[in-house]
Amino acid sequence: MINSEDIVYACTCDFAGKTRGKGFPAADMEKRLKRGIGWAPTNTQITCFDAIAPSPFGALGDRVLIPDAGTRVTLRSQELGLSEDFVLGDLYTTDGQPWALCPRSILKTALERLRRVADLSLIASFEHEFQFRGAGMGRGTAYALQAFRPNRVFAERLMGAMRAAGLEPDTIMKEYGADQFEVTMDPARGVSAADHSVILRQLVYAVAESCGHAATFTPLQDPAGIGNGVHIHFSFVDENGAPATYDPQGKHRMTAYASAFAAGILRHVDEIMALLAPSVVSYGRLTPHRWSAAFNNLGVQDREATLRICPVSAMSDIDIARQFNLEFRAADACASPYLQLAALVHAGCQGIEDGLVAPDATEEDLATLPQEALEARGLRRLPSSLAQALEIFAASDHVRNWFGEEFVTVYPLHKKGEMDFVAEMSPEDMHRAYALVY
Ligand code: GLU
Ligand code: MG
């Protein structure tokens, strides 16, 4: 008799925001935690469409993907229709240095900077929207119990899978958009917050599949329809774990560090948009009146602000200082969550180092203001295309300092490869192509 053998898939979430890796027998886990698995450096140039963008490495070289045992997800349940076993990890050079192009290592470097400049740790949670492709739920389904009911099995399996994977489920709903859902989870500290986003995306794919659906996180499936955002909530704790974001006396009730961090993000947001909203279709979503984000503005409880100060409730069992958090809304799931968080942390740290103060919050519809009025208040539209975002990214000395020369050279090559792949497509085909791969 032959027994089938459990396999663990060791993964990195790469420049394309895709979770890719290689499998090995689960029995070899201990060995693989030391030895890792081999990874070709050119793999980093595999775009979301699998076309390989120009690579400085060609067929040469090797990197090693070392799994982080704490991230392993093992979910085998016939009842839930799930058979998952994967682990996330970091890419190293063969002499044991973190690789300059490893997204997870890049995030670790950014988080160390935050500790250095402010002695703070980041707490974050990624809020995800997605759709079932071609589910045809029709109208009258926004937030509707009537539309949730036939998807209760999916939602309940997902909650179970999240909890089993170490993610604390928060809410799930039939979102406003066609065939759209949103799922939220409790925040986690540092790298784990990004790990949880990677894991959540995979669980959504897997559980949807077990229910006969195909989930897509594409930022914009139908250009005339509603987008799928990733809203990144974050706050800080000090070295004792005490909340460090809320100060009732501070501007917009933020601590000085939180205020400077917010100001840094808004000052540098154009330079990092190519990491936060990194696909060609991302920029159709980042237009006014979509409840996403279109300007470099701060808003208090404003769902069209790039950076939103979230509400706190006196009725909650959680202390206000711990509830208080900021939300970055101009992100989507075509990105590696590691690079997204690293970009926000570097821009925020720059704000702290430069002693910035958060700008005044906007309260009106910025799309109706004339250009001069916007300029007078330091407000501008976010980049309107990936090409523009990449140009600003590549020209930024800040980005070069934060991410290093190699990253700033190679990442745009990857993205240009992706742009070339869709360049000749009709808008319809392009949106479909993205919906299929995300
Ligand atoms: N779907 C909106 C977006 O693209 C977000 C809606 C909301 O949850 O506020 O970001
Ligand atoms: Mg939502």
Side-chain angles (χ1 to χ4, degrees):
M1 175 170 132
I2 304 174
N3 293 320
S4 79
E5 200 172 315
D6 290 357
I7 288 174
V8 184
Y9 215 70
C11 302
T12 174
C13 184
D14 62 12
F15 285 8
K18 299 289 277 188
T19 300
R20 302 187 217 249
K22 293 180 181 174
F24 56 81
D28 289 346
M29 190 63 177
E30 281 310 310
K31 271 191 287 191
R32 293 289 176 183
L33 289 177
K34 295 197 188 71
R35 260 185 230 167
I37 55 164
W39 199 244
T42 282
N43 287 357
T44 204
Q45 295 304 72
I46 303 176
T47 66
C48 61
F49 301 113
D50 289 350
I52 302 181
S55 164
F57 313 105
L60 298 176
D62 277 289
R63 301 294 177 265
V64 184
L65 175 58
I66 303 279
D68 178 342
T71 67
R72 183 169 171 190
V73 173
T74 309
L75 298 178
R76 296 190 192 269
S77 159
Q78 279 194 342
E79 193 201 333
L80 300 191
L82 291 178
S83 190
E84 291 294 320
D85 200 339
F86 61 90
V87 66
L88 307 175
D90 301 295
L91 289 162
Y92 289 84
T93 62
T94 46
D95 53 9
Q97 298 304 310
W99 187 30
L101 301 184
C102 168
R104 198 163 182 265
S105 306
I106 287 171
L107 173 57
K108 288 180 180 172
T109 304
L111 293 167
E112 279 157 25
R113 181 177 177 202
L114 179 61
R115 190 172 291 278
R116 218 171 40 245
V117 302
D119 215 2
L120 292 176
S121 297
L122 188 82
I123 306 285
S125 176
F126 287 65
E127 172 185 332
H128 285 281
E129 294 173 331
F130 57 91
Q131 288 164 295
F132 285 166
R133 276 196 279 118
M137 289 181 205
R139 290 194 172 273
T141 63
Y143 305 108
L145 176 58
Q146 206 182 343
F148 182 77
R149 187 171 296 120
N151 295 290
R152 178 178 284 277
V153 171
F154 161 75
E156 292 184 349
R157 283 184 184 181
L158 181 62
M159 296 292 101
M162 287 169 68
R163 207 179 293 282
L167 281 50
E168 295 297 321
D170 179 44
T171 63
I172 186 159
M173 72 200 74
K174 169 65 192 65
E175 246 285 10
Y176 175 77
D179 308 329
Q180 189 183 41
F181 295 86
E182 176 187 298
V183 59
T184 62
M185 57 187 152
D186 283 359
R189 196 184 276 229
V191 177
S192 297
D195 289 336
H196 287 185
S197 169
V198 176
I199 292 167
L200 179 82
R201 295 177 199 183
Q202 295 307 313
L203 295 183
V204 167
Y205 288 135
V207 176
E209 216 173 287
S210 82
C211 296
H213 289 290
T216 180
F217 290 83
T218 187
L220 201 54
Q221 198 176 195
D222 168 8
I226 300 296
N228 294 306
V230 168
H231 301 163
I232 305 173
H233 293 261
F234 61 88
S235 59
F236 308 99
V237 291
D238 68 16
E239 70 276 22
N240 303 315
T245 326
Y246 179 73
D247 175 358
Q249 306 328 323
K251 184 163 185 186
H252 300 310
R253 300 197 288 170
M254 285 187 272
T255 57
Y257 278 145
S259 168
F261 193 94
I265 289 176
L266 293 171
R267 175 175 289 186
H268 297 291
V269 67
D270 298 5
E271 294 155 83
I272 52 177
M273 281 308 292
L275 298 172
L276 289 152
S279 80
V280 179
V281 293
S282 297
Y283 292 83
R285 171 180 162 257
L286 299 174
T287 51
H289 310 142
R290 284 178 170 276
W291 285 27
S292 57
F295 296 85
N296 66 330
N297 62 323
L298 177 71
V300 179
Q301 300 173 25
D302 175 352
R303 288 187 179 77
E304 290 229 357
T306 281
L307 203 54
R308 169 179 178 248
I309 299 172
C310 293
V312 287
S313 164
M315 290 169 292
S316 172
D317 54 315
I318 305 168
D319 192 46
I320 290 207
R322 263 188 210 283
Q323 289 179 50
F324 193 73
N325 70 90
L326 304 179
E327 176 190 39
F328 184 87
R329 296 176 65 86
D332 64 56
C334 295
S336 172
Y338 302 114
L339 296 179
Q340 291 178 315
L341 217 46
L344 293 178
V345 169
H346 274 304
C349 285
Q350 196 64 46
I352 292 175
E353 286 182 355
D354 293 344
L356 303 185
V357 176
D360 293 338
T362 56
E363 284 177 339
E364 62 279 75
D365 179 359
L366 299 183
T368 63
L369 295 188
Q371 189 59 27
E372 312 81 71
L374 292 170
E375 270 170 31
R377 290 161 61 185
L379 294 168
R380 21 172 225 284
R381 269 299 303 268
L382 298 177
S384 58
S385 67
L386 177 59
Q388 193 192 359
L390 279 171
E391 215 172 284
I392 302 170
F393 170 88
S396 162
D397 287 335
H398 286 294
V399 169
R400 190 162 271 99
N401 284 337
W402 304 338
F403 288 89
E405 189 62 44
E406 190 176 6
F407 182 86
V408 175
T409 309
V410 179
Y411 182 78
L413 291 176
H414 177 121
K415 287 288 139 185
K416 286 200 183 100
E418 178 183 329
M419 289 195 305
D420 287 347
F421 188 86
V422 299
E424 303 296 318
M425 290 184 187
S426 68
E428 215 177 34
D429 287 348
M430 178 178 72
H431 285 87
R432 194 176 309 120
Y434 274 107
L436 286 173
V437 299
Y438 288 113

